[in-house]
Amino acid sequence: MADPLVLGIETSCDETGVALVRGHDLLVDSVASSVDEHARFGGIIPEIASRAHLEAMVPTIERALATADVTLDQVDAIAVTAGPGLVGPLTVGASAAKALAIGLDKPLYGVNHVIGHAVVDELVDGPFPERVMALVVSGGHSSLLLIDDTVQVTELGSTLDDAAGEAFDKVGRLLGLPYPGGPHIDRLAREGNPAAIRFPRGLTAAKDQAAHAADFSFSGLKTAVARWVEARQDAGQEIPLPDVAASFAEAVADVLTAKTIAACRAHGVDTLVVGGGFSANSQLRDMAAARCAQAGITLRIPPIRYCTDNGAMIAALGSAVVRRGMAPSALDLPVDSSMPLTQVLV
């Protein structure tokens, strides 16, 4: 199918996302979030997320169809997140997608959530060139991917411990900020001096480059922030929250962009796509733009509404695999919380 109408369902964590994509055109993207239900726990509670998906699934699908003025029998294929993610939420989405596929007699495609974070940019900036570099950064992933023909993925590097978004949430908690910490640190950082404190840059020393040139580590940075704050508290000194936030965010953005630009040069890639929830971070966006411009690399970052989990990214990736004639998934497709990033489709 040249321009299939694909219904995408995303339930990897706390957002119930449903979208309709025809070819590279997004018709509707409907999202129901349960993030407020998790805030008092300081993190995602899988059982709460699963129940929220169950309650939101049918209304979200109905809202998407009504908004796009489309009926279910017009849909050509169903795409759903098969992984990575939380097993309970993934199972809810996969079950709904299987029911639709059986009831409508339409092909089912279980696709990779992380790769969807990159491919969603095709709905904004058009089809990818033959080869792109993708930096996908979120609460659970900091991954560097080499993507050929949109659906062939080579994983060059990933986080060895905390992902960038995870580190932001933990530092936010350390600084007494509400959950999720990322947006609050980002706002504070705009008021602070990013050069006020020199926090460490993980895996950037010469001894680490041979084995971990494209890998990331933010656990040591998180610990360094904690020790700096504790030292100030022990000395009875005030904590300059904007400066701490700005210096911490600067360190994260510095590592992410430096390693990514180096990977682009090493592989001769001149287009970089940045996606995932953490790609909404303003310092990362600004630094990536400046360094890509200096290196002659075209930077593509979707609007913030497509950075967090959404159905559009799943429908976009589903559309890509359908248009390439890839075989659909079996109706008993399993969900995989640790789905390999080289696996686009189950």
Side-chain angles (χ1 to χ4, degrees), residues 20-35:
L20 286 157
V21 166
R22 187 183 297 280
H24 292 101
D25 296 325
L26 177 64
L27 304 187
V28 64
D29 180 35
S30 185
V31 177
S33 177
S34 63
V35 66

PDB file of all heavy atoms in Angstrom, residues 20-35:
ATOM      1  N   LEU A  20      -4.001   8.389  13.896  1.00  0.00           N
ATOM      2  CA  LEU A  20      -4.262   7.908  12.545  1.00  0.00           C
ATOM      3  C   LEU A  20      -3.307   8.616  11.590  1.00  0.00           C
ATOM      4  O   LEU A  20      -3.227   9.859  11.585  1.00  0.00           O
ATOM      5  CB  LEU A  20      -5.709   8.179  12.141  1.00  0.00           C
ATOM      6  CG  LEU A  20      -6.748   7.273  12.810  1.00  0.00           C
ATOM      7  CD1 LEU A  20      -8.119   7.941  12.803  1.00  0.00           C
ATOM      8  CD2 LEU A  20      -6.818   5.924  12.100  1.00  0.00           C
ATOM      9  N   VAL A  21      -2.583   7.833  10.816  1.00  0.00           N
ATOM     10  CA  VAL A  21      -1.616   8.368   9.861  1.00  0.00           C
ATOM     11  C   VAL A  21      -1.897   7.764   8.489  1.00  0.00           C
ATOM     12  O   VAL A  21      -2.082   6.552   8.369  1.00  0.00           O
ATOM     13  CB  VAL A  21      -0.169   8.047  10.295  1.00  0.00           C
ATOM     14  CG1 VAL A  21       0.816   8.281   9.155  1.00  0.00           C
ATOM     15  CG2 VAL A  21       0.224   8.885  11.501  1.00  0.00           C
ATOM     16  N   ARG A  22      -1.914   8.619   7.477  1.00  0.00           N
ATOM     17  CA  ARG A  22      -2.015   8.136   6.097  1.00  0.00           C
ATOM     18  C   ARG A  22      -0.718   8.515   5.376  1.00  0.00           C
ATOM     19  O   ARG A  22      -0.462   9.694   5.140  1.00  0.00           O
ATOM     20  CB  ARG A  22      -3.211   8.739   5.371  1.00  0.00           C
ATOM     21  CG  ARG A  22      -3.440   8.119   3.978  1.00  0.00           C
ATOM     22  CD  ARG A  22      -4.588   8.790   3.231  1.00  0.00           C
ATOM     23  NE  ARG A  22      -5.867   8.638   3.891  1.00  0.00           N
ATOM     24  CZ  ARG A  22      -6.624   7.543   3.820  1.00  0.00           C
ATOM     25  NH1 ARG A  22      -6.202   6.496   3.132  1.00  0.00           N
ATOM     26  NH2 ARG A  22      -7.785   7.495   4.444  1.00  0.00           N
ATOM     27  N   GLY A  23       0.094   7.514   5.056  1.00  0.00           N
ATOM     28  CA  GLY A  23       1.387   7.791   4.449  1.00  0.00           C
ATOM     29  C   GLY A  23       2.277   8.538   5.422  1.00  0.00           C
ATOM     30  O   GLY A  23       2.649   8.021   6.473  1.00  0.00           O
ATOM     31  N   HIS A  24       2.580   9.806   5.090  1.00  0.00           N
ATOM     32  CA  HIS A  24       3.360  10.661   5.984  1.00  0.00           C
ATOM     33  C   HIS A  24       2.500  11.756   6.610  1.00  0.00           C
ATOM     34  O   HIS A  24       3.020  12.694   7.211  1.00  0.00           O
ATOM     35  CB  HIS A  24       4.528  11.306   5.231  1.00  0.00           C
ATOM     36  CG  HIS A  24       5.595  10.348   4.801  1.00  0.00           C
ATOM     37  ND1 HIS A  24       5.705   9.874   3.512  1.00  0.00           N
ATOM     38  CD2 HIS A  24       6.584   9.749   5.505  1.00  0.00           C
ATOM     39  CE1 HIS A  24       6.726   9.048   3.432  1.00  0.00           C
ATOM     40  NE2 HIS A  24       7.272   8.946   4.615  1.00  0.00           N
ATOM     41  N   ASP A  25       1.187  11.645   6.440  1.00  0.00           N
ATOM     42  CA  ASP A  25       0.294  12.695   6.929  1.00  0.00           C
ATOM     43  C   ASP A  25      -0.424  12.249   8.198  1.00  0.00           C
ATOM     44  O   ASP A  25      -1.068  11.194   8.226  1.00  0.00           O
ATOM     45  CB  ASP A  25      -0.741  13.042   5.858  1.00  0.00           C
ATOM     46  CG  ASP A  25      -0.106  13.637   4.615  1.00  0.00           C
ATOM     47  OD1 ASP A  25       0.894  14.361   4.762  1.00  0.00           O
ATOM     48  OD2 ASP A  25      -0.599  13.357   3.502  1.00  0.00           O
ATOM     49  N   LEU A  26      -0.326  13.061   9.239  1.00  0.00           N
ATOM     50  CA  LEU A  26      -1.007  12.788  10.498  1.00  0.00           C
ATOM     51  C   LEU A  26      -2.413  13.359  10.441  1.00  0.00           C
ATOM     52  O   LEU A  26      -2.599  14.566  10.257  1.00  0.00           O
ATOM     53  CB  LEU A  26      -0.223  13.415  11.660  1.00  0.00           C
ATOM     54  CG  LEU A  26      -0.849  13.284  13.048  1.00  0.00           C
ATOM     55  CD1 LEU A  26      -0.927  11.823  13.479  1.00  0.00           C
ATOM     56  CD2 LEU A  26      -0.050  14.110  14.066  1.00  0.00           C
ATOM     57  N   LEU A  27      -3.405  12.499  10.621  1.00  0.00           N
ATOM     58  CA  LEU A  27      -4.791  12.947  10.626  1.00  0.00           C
ATOM     59  C   LEU A  27      -5.243  13.370  12.011  1.00  0.00           C
ATOM     60  O   LEU A  27      -5.987  14.343  12.167  1.00  0.00           O
ATOM     61  CB  LEU A  27      -5.709  11.834  10.107  1.00  0.00           C
ATOM     62  CG  LEU A  27      -5.397  11.257   8.723  1.00  0.00           C
ATOM     63  CD1 LEU A  27      -6.494  10.289   8.298  1.00  0.00           C
ATOM     64  CD2 LEU A  27      -5.220  12.363   7.695  1.00  0.00           C
ATOM     65  N   VAL A  28      -4.820  12.621  13.028  1.00  0.00           N
ATOM     66  CA  VAL A  28      -5.203  12.943  14.393  1.00  0.00           C
ATOM     67  C   VAL A  28      -4.239  12.268  15.359  1.00  0.00           C
ATOM     68  O   VAL A  28      -3.701  11.195  15.068  1.00  0.00           O
ATOM     69  CB  VAL A  28      -6.653  12.491  14.688  1.00  0.00           C
ATOM     70  CG1 VAL A  28      -6.778  10.975  14.606  1.00  0.00           C
ATOM     71  CG2 VAL A  28      -7.130  12.987  16.035  1.00  0.00           C
ATOM     72  N   ASP A  29      -4.008  12.920  16.479  1.00  0.00           N
ATOM     73  CA  ASP A  29      -3.182  12.350  17.541  1.00  0.00           C
ATOM     74  C   ASP A  29      -3.885  12.638  18.862  1.00  0.00           C
ATOM     75  O   ASP A  29      -3.948  13.782  19.301  1.00  0.00           O
ATOM     76  CB  ASP A  29      -1.783  12.969  17.535  1.00  0.00           C
ATOM     77  CG  ASP A  29      -0.883  12.407  18.626  1.00  0.00           C
ATOM     78  OD1 ASP A  29      -1.018  11.205  18.919  1.00  0.00           O
ATOM     79  OD2 ASP A  29      -0.051  13.158  19.169  1.00  0.00           O
ATOM     80  N   SER A  30      -4.440  11.601  19.477  1.00  0.00           N
ATOM     81  CA  SER A  30      -5.227  11.756  20.695  1.00  0.00           C
ATOM     82  C   SER A  30      -4.496  11.081  21.855  1.00  0.00           C
ATOM     83  O   SER A  30      -4.068   9.931  21.737  1.00  0.00           O
ATOM     84  CB  SER A  30      -6.608  11.130  20.494  1.00  0.00           C
ATOM     85  OG  SER A  30      -7.434  11.351  21.608  1.00  0.00           O
ATOM     86  N   VAL A  31      -4.351  11.788  22.954  1.00  0.00           N
ATOM     87  CA  VAL A  31      -3.592  11.270  24.097  1.00  0.00           C
ATOM     88  C   VAL A  31      -4.373  11.475  25.387  1.00  0.00           C
ATOM     89  O   VAL A  31      -4.940  12.547  25.621  1.00  0.00           O
ATOM     90  CB  VAL A  31      -2.211  11.956  24.224  1.00  0.00           C
ATOM     91  CG1 VAL A  31      -1.480  11.451  25.465  1.00  0.00           C
ATOM     92  CG2 VAL A  31      -1.368  11.726  22.984  1.00  0.00           C
ATOM     93  N   ALA A  32      -4.394  10.433  26.223  1.00  0.00           N
ATOM     94  CA  ALA A  32      -4.924  10.533  27.585  1.00  0.00           C
ATOM     95  C   ALA A  32      -3.790  10.156  28.530  1.00  0.00           C
ATOM     96  O   ALA A  32      -3.209   9.076  28.400  1.00  0.00           O
ATOM     97  CB  ALA A  32      -6.111   9.590  27.769  1.00  0.00           C
ATOM     98  N   SER A  33      -3.435  11.038  29.446  1.00  0.00           N
ATOM     99  CA  SER A  33      -2.297  10.798  30.329  1.00  0.00           C
ATOM    100  C   SER A  33      -2.747  10.523  31.761  1.00  0.00           C
ATOM    101  O   SER A  33      -3.709  11.112  32.243  1.00  0.00           O
ATOM    102  CB  SER A  33      -1.359  12.007  30.330  1.00  0.00           C
ATOM    103  OG  SER A  33      -0.288  11.815  31.230  1.00  0.00           O
ATOM    104  N   SER A  34      -2.011   9.627  32.421  1.00  0.00           N
ATOM    105  CA  SER A  34      -2.287   9.343  33.834  1.00  0.00           C
ATOM    106  C   SER A  34      -1.173   9.879  34.731  1.00  0.00           C
ATOM    107  O   SER A  34      -1.061   9.479  35.893  1.00  0.00           O
ATOM    108  CB  SER A  34      -2.452   7.831  34.053  1.00  0.00           C
ATOM    109  OG  SER A  34      -1.258   7.126  33.755  1.00  0.00           O
ATOM    110  N   VAL A  35      -0.346  10.797  34.205  1.00  0.00           N
ATOM    111  CA  VAL A  35       0.828  11.261  34.942  1.00  0.00           C
ATOM    112  C   VAL A  35       0.451  11.865  36.296  1.00  0.00           C
ATOM    113  O   VAL A  35       1.180  11.691  37.295  1.00  0.00           O
ATOM    114  CB  VAL A  35       1.653  12.264  34.102  1.00  0.00           C
ATOM    115  CG1 VAL A  35       0.881  13.549  33.845  1.00  0.00           C
ATOM    116  CG2 VAL A  35       2.993  12.555  34.764  1.00  0.00           C
TER     117      VAL A  35
END
